Amino acid sequence: MKKYAKFLLIFTLFLNCDPVSDMEANIENLTSQNLTIDFISFDETLNKSLLILPNETVLFQEGFDIGNTFLEPSLVDYDSIVIRNSTEAILKIYKEIDTGKNIYNINDYWIGSEPSKRSFRYLYQINSEDIE
């Protein structure tokens, strides 16, 4: 009877555990140029800048959530995303309302995968034609 009670207690504890999901979003530079990507927010404390060398992939965002079974990159904090070259020339400015290939369109232009249960990986690739 003690074994049954112990089993029941452990089983109940596992039923009450919330699942944990994790997410990793990367940006890959498939061009021959050094690129700087500036994520610009109205709240300047949220601004971020990434330097991505040619044929390099850099972590843009990672996160986890308890109780959530699906995660994806979030760009809602950013008003615009600016891509510049090594001479600081602006090559591309993304706005959420832009048409065509747009970094804001997670479902259309990010490559997503779920390598294990509740583990999500995303990749956004910048090609030469994206910044011409």
Side-chain angles (χ1 to χ4, degrees):
M1 186 67 172
K2 285 183 179 181
K3 286 184 179 182
Y4 177 73
K6 188 186 251 185
F7 172 78
L8 188 59
L9 178 63
I10 291 172
F11 182 73
T12 304
L13 287 173
F14 278 111
L15 283 178
N16 291 328
C17 292
D18 289 330
V20 175
S21 296
D22 75 291
M23 183 273 306
E24 181 180 290
N26 295 292
I27 299 176
E28 183 177 20
N29 177 3
L30 296 176
T31 73
S32 59
Q33 302 181 60
N34 293 346
L35 298 177
T36 299
I37 304 177
D38 295 318
F39 296 85
I40 301 169
S41 174
F42 287 117
D43 178 356
E44 291 182 14
T45 63
L46 298 175
N47 288 353
K48 106 173 20 178
S49 199
L50 301 175
L51 173 63
I52 308 177
L53 301 177
N55 299 307
E56 184 179 66
T57 302
V58 173
L59 178 67
F60 156 65
Q61 191 176 76
E62 62 184 342
F64 73 95
D65 193 9
I66 298 172
N68 198 347
T69 58
F70 177 74
L71 292 174
E72 67 181 12
S74 176
L75 297 166
V76 296
D77 292 329
Y78 304 109
D79 172 58
S80 58
I81 299 165
V82 178
I83 299 177
R84 295 180 289 120
N85 64 15
S86 57
T87 64
E88 300 294 313
I90 294 174
L91 303 174
K92 179 78 173 180
I93 299 174
Y94 289 107
K95 296 280 192 178
E96 190 171 4
I97 60 170
D98 291 346
T99 58
K101 184 176 179 185
N102 190 336
I103 195 169
Y104 284 94
N105 295 336
I106 308 296
N107 293 331
D108 296 330
Y109 298 107
W110 288 72
I111 300 167
S113 65
E114 188 176 359
S116 62
K117 191 173 183 177
R118 291 186 290 278
S119 177
F120 303 94
R121 302 292 173 257
Y122 293 89
L123 178 66
Y124 185 80
Q125 296 176 319
I126 300 172
N127 299 301
S128 295
E129 53 271 4
D130 299 332
I131 57 176
E132 292 177 345

